């Protein structure tokens, strides 16, 4: 087995902000914003408290940078959605499957959701920007697909707000797992969940139900 290449000082320095963000994420998840100490984040990284402030001026700015850093997968999800082809049903099925993988199935995104909920009142502007930048475009994509399906006759006419109902089961599953973990709400079988979810969704949405 080849020896792992030792990083240069410049490479270590370039990686430092990301290492700090990952350490900060774990501390914020564990302790919440108020309970998190910058020195504990520094200990996780193996640097001094002062090093943290070299990259992030305050704990508030560190929290904001952490939220943005771990929200990037939503942009990647949207990019994948833009490349999908097929019927409105096919594309909506794919997007919602990706959405399920990204939120309830992914521990990092689940915990990010917890932080957005728990710290929303403390950082309303940040949370609003997070929604506008990462969540709203996905909801808009779902809206557009539904409207496209309605226009083509594939879907029956429905209120434009239907997209909120479409994503609600996924968000409910996420919140229940955050509240109870696996103590009272067993982790759902992904295939069984999606099969039932799509059956209910499309039998209500399709102009000619299955």
């Amino acid at each position: 087995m080849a020896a792992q290449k030792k990083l240069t000082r410049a490479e270590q320095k370039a990686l430092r902000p990301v290492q700090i963000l990952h350490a900060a994420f774990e501390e914020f998840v564990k302790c919440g914003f108020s309970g998190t100490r910058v020195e504990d984040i520094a200990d996780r990284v193996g640097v001094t408290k002062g090093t943290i402030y070299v990259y992030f001026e305050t704990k508030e700015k560190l929290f904001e940078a952490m939220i943005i850093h771990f929200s990037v997968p939503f942009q990647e999800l949207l990019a994948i959605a833009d490349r999908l082809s097929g019927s409105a049903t096919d594309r909506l099925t794919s997007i919602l499957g990706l959405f399920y993988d990204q939120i309830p199935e992914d521990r990092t995104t689940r915990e990010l959701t917890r932080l957005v909920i728990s710290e929303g009142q403390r950082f309303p502007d940040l949370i609003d920007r997070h929604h506008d930048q990462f969540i709203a475009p996905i909801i808009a994509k779902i809206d557009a697909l539904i409207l496209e399906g309605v226009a083509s006759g594939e879907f029956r006419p429905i209120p434009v707000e239907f997209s909120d109902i479409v994503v609600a089961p996924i968000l409910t599953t996420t919140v229940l797992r955050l509240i109870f973990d696996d103590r009272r709400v067993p982790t759902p079988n992904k295939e069984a969940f999606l099969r039932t979810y799509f059956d209910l969704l499309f039998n209500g949405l399709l102009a000619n139900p299955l």
Side-chain angles (χ1 to χ4, degrees), residues 14-31:
L15 284 174
R16 190 69 74 208
V18 173
Q19 293 172 335
I20 292 171
L21 291 172
H22 280 256
F25 173 81
E26 296 299 338
E27 285 298 319
F28 285 129
V29 166
K30 177 183 175 183
C31 304

Side-chain angles (χ1 to χ4, degrees), residues 50 101 143 195:
D101 286 341
D143 282 337
R195 184 169 57 249

Side-chain angles (χ1 to χ4, degrees), residues 110 175-187:
R110 283 202 313 272
V175 171
L176 288 175
R177 290 187 66 179
L178 287 173
I179 294 172
F180 297 110
D181 197 11
D182 295 328
R183 298 190 309 277
R184 297 190 181 185
V185 182
T187 302

Side-chain angles (χ1 to χ4, degrees), residues 6-210:
K6 185 176 180 180
L7 296 177
T8 66
R9 180 167 295 185
E11 289 172 331
Q12 291 175 338
K13 186 175 181 180
L15 284 174
R16 190 69 74 208
V18 173
Q19 293 172 335
I20 292 171
L21 291 172
H22 280 256
F25 173 81
E26 296 299 338
E27 285 298 319
F28 285 129
V29 166
K30 177 183 175 183
C31 304
F33 180 83
S34 296
T36 293
R37 303 189 313 161
V38 173
E39 48 262 53
D40 292 332
I41 296 172
D43 286 344
R44 279 183 179 268
V45 182
V47 298
T48 65
K49 179 179 177 179
T51 300
I52 305 294
Y53 289 123
V54 168
Y55 296 96
F56 305 97
E57 295 177 5
T58 64
K59 189 169 78 168
E60 287 80 6
K61 289 186 180 298
L62 174 56
F63 183 83
E64 179 173 355
M66 181 273 299
I67 292 289
I68 294 171
H69 176 75
F70 285 100
S71 296
V72 168
F74 287 107
Q75 292 180 322
E76 296 169 350
L77 188 157
L78 188 63
I80 294 172
D82 286 337
R83 296 194 296 269
L84 294 173
S85 60
S87 67
T89 298
D90 291 340
R91 283 176 285 156
L92 187 55
T93 298
S94 296
I95 290 173
L96 293 173
L98 291 168
F99 203 56
Y100 183 87
D101 286 341
Q102 189 57 59
I103 302 185
E105 286 283 285
D106 184 85
R107 181 254 175 183
T108 299
T109 311
R110 283 202 313 272
E111 296 299 341
L112 183 68
T113 302
R114 185 199 301 277
L115 290 170
V116 167
I117 294 171
S118 64
E119 305 296 345
Q121 288 187 324
R122 183 187 297 273
F123 299 97
D125 293 340
L126 168 61
I127 301 308
D128 287 350
R129 290 198 304 274
H130 171 270
H131 179 272
D132 292 344
Q133 184 175 358
F134 300 107
I135 305 301
I138 296 174
I139 299 301
K141 186 68 175 179
I142 293 172
D143 282 337
L145 268 178
I146 292 173
L147 292 175
E148 180 183 331
V150 170
S152 68
E154 186 176 345
F155 298 156
R156 64 186 180 86
I158 46 86
V160 70
E161 295 84 2
F162 192 76
S163 58
D164 291 336
I165 301 173
V166 169
V167 300
I170 295 176
L171 298 179
T172 298
T173 298
T174 303
V175 171
L176 288 175
R177 290 187 66 179
L178 287 173
I179 294 172
F180 297 110
D181 197 11
D182 295 328
R183 298 190 309 277
R184 297 190 181 185
V185 182
T187 302
N189 177 275
K190 174 185 173 181
E191 288 72 23
F193 176 90
L194 291 177
R195 184 169 57 249
T196 303
Y197 172 41
F198 292 142
D199 179 63
L200 293 171
L201 171 63
F202 290 112
N203 274 292
L205 185 58
L206 290 170
N208 298 299
L210 301 176

